[in-house]
Amino acid sequence: MNIIYSIFYIGIWVYLLKELIGFQQRSIKFATPQLSSEDIIQFIWGLQVGEIKRKVPKYKFFSEILIQLIEFKKNYGGDINSQLSEIRHNIRLDQKMSKKVHNLLLGTIFQYVFICCFVFIFCIMAQVMIQLKLGLFVYLCLLGYQLFGLLVLYISYKAVKKYHFGAIYSYIKSIYIFSNLMTMNFPFNLAVEKSNVRELPNCKDLKFLKERMSKIIKSVNLKGNISSDEFKLLISECWDYYEIQGEKFEKALNGVKLMLMAVFVLPAFLGVIYTIMTQIQL
């Protein structure tokens, strides 16, 4: 019977691990044309050498920026190569951070699955060596509880990611669009409207960026223009904050990992030990 339990339990986790290993490949496959950073980078290279394609690949807010740059060049002319080079560089930065976040999630899942399998193996060894009485119902409850922990991990990951990166994405998008439009001498009111820089979300950690953006808007409104270096500095600070949030996200995910171990792994392990001690005393 132990062999049947082992095959069933291990089979479930092997299937999940197989799905997790193929997760990155499937996500890239299904994201093509929506979230492929390589597609949009190749598209930008094409624009810089004069190759105009009809459809802009979709990749976060960068697609919207490219669409507006292309429309502006089509309607007003002018050189946008410097803006395209900067966009390509920042897509690489975003790609690096996105990959780090994705690998953190997969690493956490693999660690959780490994420890869950260790608890199960401990149960089997205890049952074989000291004739511990654990029925199928106990193993099904253990498996269900651990799978529920996996669901909690995914939900927690989404919540923590949104908390740390949700606001900064809005800031980078708005500031980036506004700065590029103003650099190309786009009409001020239209640039403000298209970029939504007056509607940046309130965030305690990003209050300094919102105040700086408000001052820049007032300065542009009064003087009619502002140095492109000021925009570059502001965007650079956005990306610096983005990297800082990445470090905080990693620490938060480690906290989630500890919570999972304390709630979904340790109780099962201690429960088995308690059962062993009880039966030894009997």
Side-chain angles (χ1 to χ4, degrees):
M1 188 62 70
N2 290 329
I3 296 177
I4 297 176
Y5 293 165
S6 300
I7 293 174
F8 174 76
Y9 187 91
I10 295 174
I12 291 293
W13 282 117
V14 168
Y15 172 78
L16 289 175
L17 285 173
K18 181 180 177 182
E19 291 298 309
L20 289 172
I21 291 173
F23 175 76
Q24 187 171 6
Q25 287 76 13
R26 292 197 307 276
S27 64
I28 292 174
K29 178 181 178 181
F30 288 121
T32 309
Q34 294 185 351
L35 292 175
S36 176
S37 57
E38 291 300 328
D39 284 350
I40 198 168
I41 288 175
Q42 292 300 321
F43 180 84
I44 293 174
W45 274 111
L47 288 177
Q48 291 185 300
V49 297
E51 179 184 348
I52 305 297
K53 297 181 180 179
R54 293 183 179 180
K55 189 175 182 180
V56 178
K58 292 182 180 179
Y59 183 75
K60 300 182 180 179
F61 56 84
F62 292 102
S63 301
E64 185 177 344
I65 297 172
L66 284 175
I67 290 172
Q68 293 188 6
L69 286 174
I70 293 171
E71 288 181 353
F72 184 86
K73 181 177 181 179
K74 181 179 178 181
N75 295 329
Y76 302 98
D79 184 20
I80 60 173
N81 280 332
S82 60
Q83 287 86 354
L84 292 175
S85 297
E86 187 177 354
I87 291 172
R88 191 178 70 247
H89 171 71
N90 288 325
I91 288 176
R92 288 296 188 191
L93 292 177
D94 181 77
Q95 184 185 41
K96 180 180 178 181
M97 180 60 69
S98 297
K99 184 177 180 180
K100 180 180 179 180
V101 170
H102 181 74
N103 289 338
L104 283 173
L105 173 63
L106 289 183
T108 302
I109 291 176
F110 279 120
Q111 290 176 30
Y112 176 74
V113 172
F114 176 80
I115 295 176
C116 287
C117 290
F118 171 79
V119 172
F120 176 79
I121 293 172
F122 180 79
C123 293
I124 293 294
M125 291 178 63
Q127 190 169 2
V128 172
M129 296 177 66
I130 63 174
Q131 299 300 312
L132 183 64
K133 297 178 181 179
L134 295 174
L136 178 61
F137 178 75
V138 174
Y139 284 104
L140 288 176
C141 289
L142 177 61
L143 177 61
Y145 191 60
Q146 291 174 341
L147 290 177
F148 179 69
L150 197 62
L151 177 63
V152 172
L153 168 60
Y154 181 73
I155 294 174
S156 301
Y157 161 79
K158 298 292 286 187
V160 171
K161 183 179 179 182
K162 182 178 180 180
Y163 175 79
H164 286 285
F165 296 113
I168 190 61
Y169 273 138
S170 298
Y171 274 72
I172 293 176
K173 174 183 176 181
S174 295
I175 294 174
Y176 216 108
I177 292 175
F178 182 74
S179 65
N180 275 279
L181 293 178
M182 291 306 302
T183 301
M184 295 183 299
N185 298 318
F186 210 72
F188 172 74
N189 292 331
L190 197 54
V192 170
E193 180 183 348
K194 285 183 173 291
S195 61
N196 295 320
V197 287
R198 294 190 188 274
E199 301 174 5
L200 295 174
N202 293 321
C203 179
K204 183 179 179 181
D205 293 338
L206 293 171
K207 185 179 179 180
F208 72 100
L209 285 177
K210 190 171 185 178
E211 291 177 349
R212 289 259 319 266
M213 195 66 242
S214 297
K215 292 179 180 178
I216 288 177
I217 292 174
K218 290 179 181 178
S219 178
V220 173
N221 196 19
L222 291 173
K223 299 178 181 179
N225 204 343
I226 195 170
S227 172
S228 60
D229 292 337
E230 185 69 23
F231 286 123
K232 290 181 180 179
L233 178 61
L234 192 61
I235 292 173
S236 176
E237 289 179 358
C238 286
W239 285 107
D240 289 341
Y241 179 82
Y242 186 47
E243 292 183 359
I244 293 173
Q245 288 302 99
E247 296 174 359
K248 291 182 178 179
F249 172 81
E250 184 175 359
K251 293 179 180 178
L253 199 60
N254 287 332
V256 171
K257 188 192 308 181
L258 290 175
M259 181 271 294
L260 287 173
M261 303 307 169
V263 176
F264 294 100
V265 176
L266 187 60
F269 184 71
L270 294 178
V272 175
I273 293 179
Y274 174 78
T275 305
I276 293 173
M277 298 301 295
T278 301
Q279 293 196 17
I280 289 177
Q281 290 177 359
L282 294 176

